Amino acid sequence: MTPPRTAALTLYRHAPTDSNGAGVYMGSRDLPPMESGLGAAAAAAPRDGAEHFTRFYCSPLRRAARTAEVMFPGAAIEPDPRLAERSLGQWEGMAHADVRERHPEAFLPSGHLDPRFTPPGGEDLTAFLARTTDFLAQMDRLDGDERVVAVSHNGWIRSALHLAGSFPVEEIFAASVPFAVPVLIPLGHFAARADHPLGSRP
């Protein structure tokens, strides 16, 4: 039997966009990062990043792909659609306050957005977690000496942390991942998982 992996996948959230500070939902909108944010991301990258990691992935959305390029110059970075942010359908481009007013049922008693609520025309949570788990399972199956880094999005990274057991599904939107700060996802059990538990709503 192959022993479980003990390595971790390193994730980074892309550099900020204009929309991040404007209080609107982005979802799958393909927006570029701000140049000032790219400079901060480049400064935050590990000095030996292009040499330390053996595999490089990014979301195909421009804000993530461009961030990966400046953080790991010269690396062969593979865009992977499974790393894209969850589509929010008709909410994309809408102000947070407008969504809360029009869809109060989409929010938990805590005030946080309920991840299990599917925005009109958006991606179902089950499908989103399935593709997230599929990517993590592929990382599980790599040789133990592989050191993998990926640049993705807030919702994707928070969902990966949920799947790794860091917090229940209700807390996916309870906090935000800082930009260009490493987040480690422990590997070793995703390849064996056949389902994608969503937890239970309080």
Side-chain angles (χ1 to χ4, degrees):
M1 178 182 294
T2 302
R5 294 190 63 198
T6 57
L9 166 68
T10 301
L11 298 173
Y12 285 93
R13 184 184 181 186
H14 62 81
T17 71
D18 289 334
S19 292
N20 285 123
V24 301
Y25 287 106
M26 279 192 293
S28 62
R29 295 180 74 195
D30 195 8
L31 303 175
M34 295 186 296
E35 288 300 319
S36 59
L38 287 175
R47 293 183 180 179
D48 63 342
E51 292 77 30
H52 175 75
F53 296 107
T54 59
R55 289 179 183 255
F56 301 81
Y57 294 91
C58 69
S59 159
L61 298 179
R62 282 183 293 169
R63 56 190 184 272
R66 182 67 182 127
T67 300
E69 290 174 358
V70 302
M71 292 188 74
F72 307 107
I77 303 168
E78 180 178 347
D80 193 309
R82 293 172 296 179
L83 288 164
E85 184 62 289
R86 181 183 179 186
S87 170
L88 298 179
Q90 296 177 17
W91 288 4
E92 294 182 358
M94 286 182 62
H96 295 172
D98 290 343
V99 170
R100 185 178 293 274
E101 181 179 352
R102 297 183 191 183
H103 297 280
E105 72 279 11
F107 294 84
L108 296 165
S110 64
H112 301 304
L113 184 64
D114 185 350
R116 286 165 298 198
F117 185 89
T118 303
E123 184 175 11
D124 175 81
L125 178 64
T126 302
F128 179 59
L129 292 183
R131 65 176 169 90
T132 302
T133 301
D134 190 57
F135 179 84
L136 296 172
Q138 181 182 338
M139 300 303 102
D140 257 357
R141 298 185 184 100
L142 295 175
D143 293 337
D145 59 351
E146 295 276 13
R147 299 181 302 279
V148 184
V149 64
V151 179
S152 188
H153 308 266
N154 181 66
W156 198 98
I157 296 172
R158 290 285 295 175
S159 296
L161 287 167
H162 157 65
L163 290 167
S166 297
F167 44 74
V169 68
E170 292 83 8
E171 297 182 13
I172 287 178
F173 293 118
S176 294
V177 176
F179 298 105
V181 172
V183 175
L184 301 182
I185 302 293
L187 299 174
H189 64 283
F190 291 105
R193 291 178 59 169
D195 62 345
H196 316 285
L198 302 183
S200 57
R201 182 169 181 167

